[in-house]
Amino acid sequence: QGVMSHRRVTDWAASKGESQTRLVGSEGDAFAEWWPTLRREMAGAVAAGRTDAAASVADADWTVAVYGRGMTLLSTKIARAFPASTVVSVKPEAHEVSPHLDLLELLGVRNNLVCRARLTPARVAALRSADDAFRFQVLGADVFEGLLANSATPEKFEANLGAILTLATTTFMELPTWRALKHALAVFAPDSDGGAGGAVDPAAAERAARDYADAYGDEYYADADTD
């Protein structure tokens, strides 16, 4: 068995190693930031819902959704840490699918489903009509940025974000950098004629971003670069 395992890993590495090396290189830092928080919160959920003294994370039968770019390592880790749960990884880019499937094959992970799709309003509406919500969902920064880019007004953005948040009992969301947020929110700021924003007005962008930080979590942006 040991020889077969070694051969299996060696053969796999010869054909897939380069893509996996790129995967770790591109996602390693993000994974290191995400995983401690998720592990702590999920372990806490297990403890809070425990009815049997022998229950453990291995018994947690959840559905977990992970949306966005650069989430392969995180999705795989969640699936391995909670083997009785089902992890659904939704990837917006086709080139991320094969490396993810290769990693699952190497590790023998069978509870992580991978699909290529975008989190459009129509797809969110379809998911909301399902009987059971996800227990947890993880939203990458590109999901948040996509909402900003595709919402014509702050009210539309809030409605779209609210719809996504209803898909799970608990949501973890990666927020964009202060600079990215400032430029994205500039499109919501009225121009000199009172219409929708056009070219980025630094002062308007700063005001919009500050207003957003006040409403949605000033602590996150307390040390932000505002130049």
Side-chain angles (χ1 to χ4, degrees):
Q1 178 65 32
V3 173
M4 291 301 293
S5 297
H6 175 73
R7 178 178 297 175
R8 175 171 175 260
V9 172
T10 301
D11 291 344
W12 181 92
S15 61
K16 310 293 186 181
E18 183 177 351
S19 66
Q20 295 300 303
T21 299
R22 288 197 302 270
L23 176 65
V24 173
S26 63
E27 295 190 12
D29 290 344
F31 170 79
E33 293 179 1
W34 271 108
W35 177 240
T37 298
L38 291 176
R39 177 178 56 190
R40 180 178 64 251
E41 295 297 326
M42 290 180 171
V46 171
R50 182 174 295 165
T51 57
D52 183 343
S56 68
V57 295
D59 303 312
D61 184 10
W62 295 326
T63 52
V64 182
V66 182
Y67 306 99
R69 301 186 186 93
M71 295 292 193
T72 295
L73 296 180
L74 185 65
S75 297
T76 304
K77 185 66 174 181
I78 294 172
R80 296 193 74 193
F82 301 92
S85 296
T86 299
V87 179
V88 180
S89 300
V90 182
K91 296 180 171 296
E93 306 294 343
H95 67 82
E96 286 197 2
V97 174
S98 291
H100 193 150
L101 294 175
D102 290 340
L103 182 60
L104 297 177
E105 179 185 1
L106 173 68
L107 298 176
V109 175
R110 298 288 182 265
N111 60 323
N112 185 184
L113 308 179
V114 182
C115 65
R116 177 178 174 253
R118 294 189 180 277
L119 207 56
T120 62
R123 186 160 286 116
V124 171
L127 289 170
R128 291 182 70 187
S129 67
D131 293 336
D132 297 319
F134 294 104
R135 176 60 182 85
F136 295 99
Q137 66 178 347
V138 183
L139 307 176
D142 56 296
V143 175
F144 189 93
E145 292 164 1
L147 285 173
L148 283 173
N150 295 297
S151 298
T153 64
E155 292 75 19
K156 188 65 175 178
F157 166 77
E158 291 173 352
N160 290 336
L161 176 59
I164 291 176
L165 294 179
T166 64
L167 298 179
T169 304
T170 302
T171 297
F172 302 93
M173 175 180 290
E174 181 180 9
L175 299 178
T177 64
W178 174 265
R179 191 181 303 276
L181 178 66
K182 184 167 63 175
H183 282 270
L185 285 173
V187 302
F188 292 149
D191 57 26
S192 58
D193 298 323
V200 174
D201 177 349
E206 183 72 25
R207 290 194 300 273
R210 284 294 179 190
D211 289 344
Y212 187 90
D214 290 342
Y216 287 96
D218 188 59
E219 291 182 3
Y220 178 84
Y221 294 107
D223 299 319
D225 172 18
T226 58
D227 60 7

